[in-house]
Amino acid sequence: MAVGLRARLGNRSTGLVAALAVLMGSLGIQISSMVSFSLFDSYTTMGVSGLRMVIAAVVLLAIARPNIRALGKADWRGILIFGVAMAAMNVFFYLALSRLPLGVAVTLEFLGAFSVAMLAARRLRDGLFALLALVGVALIAGPAADFDALGYLFGLGAAAAFAIYTVMSARIGTASEASSGLKGLSLSVSVAAVVLLPFSVPQVPRVDAPDWGLLALSGLIGVAFTFSMDVFAAQLTSAATVGVLFSIDPVTGALVGALLMGQSLAPAAYVGIVMVAASGAFVIWRTNRAAAKLAAVQARDDDGG
């Protein structure tokens, strides 16, 4: 999926396309979080997470139609790790959100992607821009009025799962074509849905028709669409690059909260948005430049051959 589009658009647009994909996925997850949050009291946090995973899995399987018989052990290993990470990331994040302000919960979760970006940084400049993104995210989140130890523990759990999710977004499908793109993603989401069945199944008889619509909306936008965009961006660039680009999540969260939920932003939050935007712009520029250099080298090699 990513390779074909990269060939059509050209190497110089790689970073921009990846950033746009992350942005669209981020908007999807923020909007779906608003929808899901309204259902927590009725069907529990883990029940809602599981139900939306089931809906997303059914839709993705119908679209991708993966050939299970063509999968090898390496394919299944990646699919299972990715799926379990998805389930853990969603559950821990929503558990943190039930105890912490949205900005704090998102900041804690972003520490996972930030860690991936920092560990993969090969140049001081790369590490500094990753730190710039982290500081910007912290400014957007703002200080927490009350310290909730369990909430922070859930947030760090989401961060650990998000780190694995970030790495596996780039690695899924590398074992063979049978698990590439939407094929591997659909199976990983199915694994996540199965993991959460003990929590989702008991809620099924209690869900009324209008709430099924909300769950479907949340599953399609927040899981199927968002995860597809994340995998696409990671395979178009790298886990390290997407790890920095994921810093846009707190930005979109702050803006969606202000525009759709009437939440006011502190002056420091606007400074944080500028810092995150600057870091993302650097990542896009660096990715496009690296892709252009690689294309030039390949062209010289072809001419020499």
Side-chain angles (χ1 to χ4, degrees):
M1 178 175 64
V3 176
L5 184 57
R6 177 167 25 188
R8 290 196 297 270
L9 293 177
N11 289 295
R12 293 184 180 277
S13 301
T14 299
L16 179 59
V17 173
L20 290 175
V22 171
L23 174 60
M24 290 189 292
S26 180
L27 289 172
I29 197 67
Q30 301 301 335
I31 293 173
S32 70
S33 293
M34 292 172 53
V35 176
S36 298
F37 190 77
S38 66
L39 301 172
F40 288 166
D41 290 340
S42 300
Y43 310 113
T44 76
T45 301
M46 300 183 75
V48 172
S49 296
L51 289 170
R52 64 202 289 268
M53 280 290 181
V54 170
I55 294 171
V58 170
V59 173
L60 287 173
L61 287 172
I63 295 173
R65 297 184 180 180
N67 183 3
I68 296 179
R69 290 177 294 182
L71 298 171
K73 291 183 178 180
D75 294 307
W76 277 115
R77 188 182 308 115
I79 288 169
L80 290 173
I81 294 173
F82 198 21
V84 171
M86 287 179 186
M89 179 179 70
N90 276 265
V91 169
F92 278 126
F93 175 72
Y94 283 138
L95 287 173
L97 189 59
S98 67
R99 292 175 170 270
L100 301 173
L102 176 61
V104 176
V106 173
T107 301
L108 289 172
E109 185 184 46
F110 171 68
L111 289 175
F114 167 77
S115 299
V116 172
M118 285 298 295
L119 290 174
R122 298 180 180 180
R123 298 179 181 178
L124 177 61
R125 183 174 56 179
D126 295 345
L128 290 176
F129 272 93
L131 281 172
L132 179 67
L134 180 64
V135 173
V137 167
L139 289 174
I140 295 169
D146 299 306
F147 180 81
D148 188 309
L150 189 56
Y152 271 75
L153 185 61
F154 287 144
L156 293 176
F162 196 24
I164 299 173
Y165 172 87
T166 302
V167 173
M168 293 308 299
S169 293
R171 291 186 181 179
I172 191 70
T174 55
S176 75
E177 182 64 25
S179 61
S180 64
L182 285 180
K183 300 174 187 175
L185 177 64
S186 64
L187 292 171
S188 294
V189 173
S190 299
V191 169
V194 170
V195 170
L196 296 175
L197 281 180
F199 307 101
S200 60
V201 169
Q203 303 300 328
V204 172
R206 303 178 58 244
V207 182
D208 55 28
D211 287 346
W212 274 120
L214 293 176
L215 285 168
L217 178 64
S218 178
L220 292 176
I221 296 178
V223 178
F225 176 74
T226 294
F227 288 1
S228 296
M229 291 295 99
D230 290 349
V231 168
F232 172 72
Q235 294 186 339
L236 198 62
T237 54
S238 68
T241 298
V242 171
V244 177
L245 292 178
F246 278 153
S247 62
I248 201 172
D249 284 348
V251 177
T252 57
L255 294 177
V256 168
L259 297 175
L260 301 183
M261 301 175 66
Q263 299 174 346
S264 60
L265 296 178
Y270 292 103
V271 176
I273 289 174
V274 172
M275 294 173 69
V276 171
S279 179
F282 168 76
V283 169
I284 294 170
W285 171 79
R286 185 197 60 182
T287 303
N288 288 347
R289 185 181 181 189
K293 287 183 176 180
L294 178 60
V297 171
Q298 292 174 341
R300 286 198 300 269
D301 291 343
D302 292 340
D303 293 338

